[in-house]
Amino acid sequence: MQFRNFKMVDYVVYGRGCFAQLDEILAPRRSDGKPMIFLLDHHFEQDAAFQSRIPLRGTDELIIADVTHEPKTSYVDEITRNIRERHGVVSGIIGIGGGSVMDLAKAVAIMMTNEGRAQDYQGYDLVKNKAVYKVGIPTISGTGAEVSRTCVLTGPEKKLGMNSDFTPFDQIVLDPELIKGVPKDQNFYTGMDCYIHCIESLDGTFLNMFSKSYGEKALEMCRNVYLRKDVWDEDSDEQLMMASYAGGMSIAYSQVGVAHAVSYGLSYLLGTKHGIGNCIVFNHLQEFYPEGVAEFHEMVRKHNIHIPTGVCAGLSDDEFNKMIDVSLGMKLLWENALGKDWERQMTRERLRALYEKL
Ligand code: NAD
Ligand code: ZN
């Protein structure tokens, strides 16, 4: 097909307090006796008040998702196995948390109806069967994972999502009240993921009006909250939540670029998390995105955020080569960033020099 035909999220509810409507939203999706499984970010493990607002009915189960590390295929398999053993078939999987829980929920919902291991489905259009009903409820905004067609997983061989038409959520619940109070640094790292999605999409060779229209709006909202406003308030949460959504829509029909391609290498070798990893890399990308990086530096100063440096100091040649292999494997990202002759431009030596700067 010449033009990509995108499967998107089916239902979206937005608004401050809309989380209270979850019970009503789920009711028609409950098939008799089969439970809804809630995957809840471990940040809320001790938060009894929040947990009491989760509409558990009948044999529903609440599972605390450990997101100390970004989701691994082995963890997806473990959760899926446990759910199958305890419940057999379920009515749905509901993920409540940051980007990591969004991805876990999508992956578990897929593995409930597909044989084998999660690692078998890392790639493009490998998923065979429709997933069980799945809902995403973000409690941090920025990644765009709530709208994307993938769920990023680290497997034994690669870090790659299950990219398929069966991956997007059936329903998302966007309640800005839920992202209130994310600690300043975490808010910034995840918010910058959105900012960087916009810069990479808007500056990329794959750009088209679909992506541009969402990307420009998302970028404007990022600038509002991180540059123009002096206090973080309810309006900031609302703008960031919609920036994340629009940024995700922008890259759905284009691609990300250099920061993501390079930070994937870091993450694979060093376990660096997505948001902070992108910041560590973007900090040094003046030659690719001069205006975006200057503005990023301004935001870092304004919010007094620590961006780590020297993260590649002391790595061996083998380790650099592993990161370079992972990064150069992200062909579409490089092509979007540098054009069709990207391989001539981004040599292993140039990429090594870039990693050494981080
Ligand atoms: P995260 O989900 O890893 O969470 C970061 C930390 O914030 C965790 O410790 C978590 O417990 C905590 N947290 C969650 N909600 C909170 C709240 N309301 N208040 C305080 N703390 C809270 O971080 P993230 O940046 O949202 O997501 C990163 C993940 O998203 C990575 O695994 C990355 O690969 C993935 N990602 C996916 C896509 C996609 O399209 N599927 C896109 C970008 C990133
Ligand atoms: Zn990202």
Side-chain angles (χ1 to χ4, degrees):
M1 244 194 283
Q2 189 191 352
F3 297 96
R4 280 177 294 163
N5 189 11
F6 265 105
K7 171 74 177 69
M8 290 180 177
V9 170
D10 290 353
Y11 289 87
V12 181
V13 56
Y14 170 81
R16 183 166 291 282
C18 72
F19 181 70
Q21 218 169 286
L22 185 58
D23 200 17
E24 222 177 298
I25 290 170
L26 298 181
R29 305 290 182 157
R30 291 178 178 280
S31 46
D32 40 26
K34 300 186 190 103
M36 289 287 178
I37 307 296
F38 296 84
L39 292 182
L40 179 64
D41 193 298
H42 66 185
H43 169 73
F44 299 99
E45 188 167 11
Q46 308 299 336
D47 189 342
F50 184 61
Q51 288 190 26
S52 73
R53 297 180 58 205
I54 297 174
L56 293 166
R57 302 272 169 254
T59 54
D60 286 1
E61 190 184 356
L62 180 70
I63 297 176
I64 299 294
D66 180 352
V67 294
T68 314
H69 305 289
E70 294 190 345
K72 294 189 171 62
T73 54
S74 54
Y75 191 40
V76 172
D77 292 335
E78 180 191 324
I79 297 176
T80 309
R81 198 168 47 245
N82 289 340
I83 296 174
R84 280 209 182 126
E85 277 170 17
R86 283 200 290 273
H87 304 280
V89 182
V90 302
S91 288
I93 304 287
I94 295 105
I96 308 174
S100 295
V101 174
M102 295 298 98
D103 285 354
L104 265 180
K106 292 189 214 181
V108 170
I110 287 170
M111 293 313 296
M112 287 303 293
T113 55
N114 284 274
E115 289 305 313
R117 294 164 303 177
Q119 69 186 75
D120 304 336
Y121 300 100
Q122 285 182 282
Y124 290 83
D125 300 305
L126 302 175
V127 179
K128 295 187 180 64
N129 305 317
K130 190 177 188 305
V132 298
Y133 175 70
K134 53 183 158 359
V135 181
I137 309 181
T139 63
I140 308 188
S141 288
T143 66
E146 63 276 23
V147 287
S148 78
R149 185 188 187 265
T150 190
C151 50
V152 184
L153 302 172
T154 305
E157 278 153 30
K158 53 195 167 204
K159 181 175 176 189
L160 187 62
M162 296 174 174
N163 208 306
S164 84
D165 280 354
F166 300 124
T167 311
F169 284 115
D170 298 287
Q171 167 86 56
I172 57 175
V173 176
L174 302 180
D175 182 347
E177 207 170 84
L178 301 184
I179 66 167
K180 179 181 168 192
V182 175
K184 186 182 77 156
D185 283 27
Q186 183 65 57
N187 166 304
F188 189 85
Y189 299 144
T190 304
M192 282 304 114
D193 191 21
C194 177
Y195 177 80
I196 295 168
H197 290 161
C198 297
I199 299 293
E200 293 185 327
S201 169
L202 292 169
D203 201 61
T205 59
F206 294 177
L207 189 64
N208 52 69
M209 194 48 78
F210 184 99
S211 294
K212 189 167 185 268
S213 56
Y214 282 107
E216 284 179 349
K217 186 66 196 172
L219 186 59
E220 182 196 322
M221 291 190 282
C222 288
R223 286 178 174 146
N224 287 344
V225 300
Y226 289 111
L227 278 176
R228 302 197 178 113
K229 292 176 70 142
D230 285 322
V231 282
W232 194 275
D233 56 12
E234 288 190 347
D235 170 74
S236 314
D237 288 331
E238 288 165 14
Q239 291 206 45
L240 185 59
M241 183 160 258
M242 287 319 298
S244 174
Y245 177 93
M249 292 295 283
S250 178
I251 48 174
Y253 225 104
S254 60
Q255 247 310 341
V256 286
V258 181
H260 278 76
V262 176
S263 93
Y264 262 80
L266 275 189
S267 146
Y268 191 82
L269 187 79
L270 305 173
T272 314
K273 293 191 169 188
H274 188 80
I276 194 169
N278 281 343
C279 289
I280 291 170
V281 177
F282 199 69
N283 204 15
H284 297 279
L285 295 186
Q286 294 88 340
E287 60 187 302
F288 302 99
Y289 307 109
E291 288 163 18
V293 174
E295 196 168 64
F296 171 78
H297 288 155
E298 207 180 320
M299 295 187 280
V300 168
R301 270 195 305 276
K302 182 172 163 95
H303 294 275
N304 192 19
I305 303 291
H306 170 65
I307 307 292
T309 52
V311 296
C312 293
L315 293 183
S316 67
D317 284 346
D318 277 357
E319 288 172 320
F320 275 111
N321 281 328
K322 183 75 228 172
M323 290 195 295
I324 292 168
D325 290 341
V326 170
S327 178
L328 291 180
M330 315 298 294
K331 295 181 191 308
L332 286 175
L333 282 63
W334 287 110
E335 186 183 332
N336 178 45
L338 304 176
K340 286 211 179 302
D341 72 336
W342 65 270
E343 277 165 304
R344 217 176 33 79
Q345 297 182 53
M346 189 42 69
T347 58
R348 294 185 74 87
E349 294 68 37
R350 189 176 178 199
L351 187 50
R352 163 92 187 229
L354 178 53
Y355 273 119
E356 282 176 0
K357 273 201 239 169
L358 312 178

